[in-house]
Amino acid sequence: MTSPSELRVWLSVQPEAFSEGATYVVDLLGRLRLAPRRSEHVACADGEEVLAAGELRFRLDAGQPSVAEVSNLSTGYCPDVTCWASVARALAPLGLHPPMGFTGAMDFRRCLACGEVTLVKERWFVCAFCDADLPSDWNVSLAREVDGE
């Protein structure tokens, strides 16, 4: 997306972005890329690395698109919550005024014991695969593994 008009065209052919949301990534040039919500983030990014990834739901305010909800929920990229600044910068040229931060912030951690990535729930930093304690600081590289996602 490079302009408010391009966003409006995309939303006109993807009206479910208002009800169920959309998949997004912010590419390395800081541009917002959108895809239908059931799309994989890695596919939305054409397999490239990203500055941010998650889900975004739109609403209409006085007939203009705006952001209703935005998260960093992407199991393909597992972005840290610190990617928010990239999201906010990508939304601005589209005339979108984002909330003050993620409306749904997710914490991902790589287990130092077994190497798996866990989505931390309710601030419980325990690996879902081996029950080892997880680090308190984000430690998931944005470089994806060769094995798929």
Side-chain angles (χ1 to χ4, degrees):
M1 298 293 129
T2 58
S3 68
S5 60
E6 186 178 1
L7 174 64
R8 284 191 294 277
V9 168
W10 189 86
L11 289 170
S12 73
V13 297
Q14 301 291 335
E16 67 278 359
F18 291 101
S19 57
E20 66 181 48
T23 291
Y24 80 86
V25 298
V26 176
D27 67 19
L28 294 179
L29 297 175
R31 297 174 301 202
L32 183 72
R33 293 185 185 186
L34 295 170
R37 185 172 175 271
R38 289 175 181 80
S39 301
E40 292 293 328
H41 291 94
V42 176
C44 182
D46 290 329
E48 300 294 324
E49 297 302 323
V50 299
L51 299 175
E55 295 180 349
L56 185 86
R57 191 173 59 79
F58 293 92
R59 69 172 179 245
L60 289 176
D61 286 333
Q64 298 300 313
S66 67
V67 176
E69 297 174 350
V70 62
S71 77
N72 64 320
L73 180 56
S74 167
T75 57
Y77 287 105
C78 304
D80 189 28
V81 295
T82 58
C83 73
W84 173 251
S86 296
V87 175
R89 280 192 301 275
L91 295 173
L94 305 176
L96 297 171
H97 304 288
M100 297 301 291
F102 288 118
T103 53
M106 307 295 156
D107 287 311
F108 296 94
R109 297 295 185 273
R110 184 172 302 281
C111 179
L112 300 177
C114 72
E116 294 292 337
V117 175
T118 294
L119 173 61
V120 175
K121 297 177 183 172
E122 298 178 3
R123 309 289 304 157
W124 193 52
F125 289 84
V126 175
C127 179
F129 300 93
C130 74
D131 289 329
D133 289 338
L134 296 171
S136 58
D137 292 330
W138 183 79
N139 66 340
V140 184
S141 171
L142 287 180
R144 290 177 287 107
E145 304 295 326
V146 177
D147 64 6
E149 229 131 336

